[in-house]
Amino acid sequence: MPQTHPTVVVLTALALEYAAVRAHLPEREELVRDGDGTRVEYGRPAGTEWHLALAELGEGAKTAAALTTQIIDWLEPEAVLFVGVAGSLKADIGIGDVVVGTKVYGIHGGKQTPDGFLVRPEAWPVSNALLGAARSAVRDMSGVRAHFKPIASGDVVLADAGSEIAEHLRRHYNDAAAIEMEGAGAVHAAHLNGQIHALVIRGISDHADAAKHEADALGSQQRAAAQAASVAVAVLRKHRPRGSSDPKGAPRHGGGAGTTYGGDHIDFRGGTFHGPVIGKQTGERR
């Protein structure tokens, strides 16, 4: 059931992450897809042009990839954000900070040989437009300490800084600032679609060490999820849907007559032409 107004999908893994984003949707309705039963809540965050479809997927990259693909196919969004909590991999990135992923690593690829494990890294870039919106948004958020760094993603909960997997990250993904479980799956699904902006926003709830349980018990996950959700909504206030105008009326993306807006169509709005224009009018949503 594709929507006729600009839609962004916000994905979460945990109930507390879902609740943090849901708090920004004062009015919402539940939508259920016929056939597979995929379920979202749908509403409009205050101060944005977007209608937001919120989904709780559960844990793991494979689940995230599969369900993200289903939701994209159903709702045809312009953007996908994965929002939630993560463990910090850097001493200077503390609990309550927010990491906005500049790229997402899949950390499990490689080949085991007699000489050891040979890493075959995977990395997915995120949307430059959403990154720019995030950088602009956090400048005015005095209560948020944000970092723009790569994020490591794998099917592991890291609670031992001296473990083999922690050493693997330090050796092969040294620039990664946080570790989580679902971002790679969601970004990969958006990447395969080819038309969708994607971004991962994670609040730091622990230091990926033996103190994780203590931090969680003190409410660090709720605090981190709330920070990530507030950044996500601030990003949507900055990032406008395709074809909308800025407050002075200039088209987005520097668009004008003859500007291509993705896909195989050309937008001729506002242009002056001297001669025939040949094209095809369809009922498809732009």
Side-chain angles (χ1 to χ4, degrees), residues 22 60 66 106 175 215 221 231:
R22 193 175 192 251
D175 59 341
Q221 287 191 329
V231 170

Side-chain angles (χ1 to χ4, degrees), residues 198-218:
L199 191 65
V200 178
I201 301 172
R202 293 286 186 171
I204 297 300
S205 60
D206 59 77
H207 288 283
D209 59 14
K212 172 178 169 52
H213 177 72
E214 297 175 8
D216 291 351
L218 293 173

Side-chain angles (χ1 to χ4, degrees), residues 12-278:
T12 66
L14 306 176
L16 62 91
E17 298 166 342
Y18 186 97
V21 180
R22 193 175 192 251
H24 294 273
L25 296 176
E27 296 183 8
R28 53 195 177 268
E29 61 177 320
E30 188 171 73
L31 306 179
V32 183
R33 188 184 191 188
D34 291 338
D36 61 26
T38 303
R39 191 177 298 263
V40 301
E41 283 194 293
Y42 198 73
R44 187 170 181 176
T48 80
E49 299 179 56
W50 295 98
H51 284 74
L52 188 157
L54 176 61
E56 181 184 345
L57 305 185
E59 298 179 20
K62 291 181 181 179
T63 297
L67 294 180
T68 300
T69 299
Q70 289 182 357
I71 292 171
I72 288 172
D73 180 63
W74 174 28
L75 297 178
E76 299 181 7
E78 291 187 24
V80 170
L81 278 64
F82 210 104
V83 179
V85 302
S88 172
L89 297 174
K90 301 295 183 183
D92 61 343
I93 298 179
I95 293 174
D97 288 3
V98 174
V99 176
V100 180
T102 54
K103 57 184 170 182
V104 180
Y105 290 125
I107 64 171
H108 292 307
K111 179 180 180 181
Q112 187 66 53
T113 74
D115 296 322
F117 186 75
L118 304 181
V119 175
R120 294 179 176 177
E122 289 185 289
W124 293 271
V126 299
S127 164
N128 183 63
L130 288 176
L131 272 179
R135 293 183 193 276
S136 176
V138 300
R139 293 187 189 115
D140 297 320
M141 300 180 73
S142 60
V144 173
R145 186 168 180 254
H147 310 266
F148 291 81
K149 299 287 185 181
I151 289 175
S153 185
D155 283 321
V156 58
V157 176
L158 184 56
D160 181 0
S163 64
E164 183 177 344
I165 188 68
E167 178 59 26
H168 175 78
L169 291 169
R170 286 190 289 267
R171 182 177 295 273
H172 301 292
Y173 302 95
N174 186 257
D175 59 341
I179 181 167
E180 47 94 280
M181 297 177 66
E182 298 82 22
V187 174
H188 184 52
H191 170 74
L192 291 178
N193 178 274
Q195 296 285 326
I196 295 177
H197 295 285
L199 191 65
V200 178
I201 301 172
R202 293 286 186 171
I204 297 300
S205 60
D206 59 77
H207 288 283
D209 59 14
K212 172 178 169 52
H213 177 72
E214 297 175 8
D216 291 351
L218 293 173
S220 64
Q221 287 191 329
Q222 287 83 356
R223 176 187 173 197
Q227 291 286 79
S230 66
V231 170
V233 173
V235 169
L236 297 181
R237 293 191 180 110
K238 291 285 186 176
H239 181 68
R240 293 193 177 92
R242 295 186 185 109
S244 66
S245 298
D246 69 16
K248 295 182 180 179
R252 289 184 68 248
H253 308 314
T259 298
T260 300
Y261 283 84
D264 58 0
H265 66 283
I266 299 176
D267 191 322
F268 289 109
R269 288 172 292 183
T272 302
F273 306 96
H274 304 281
V277 175
I278 299 174

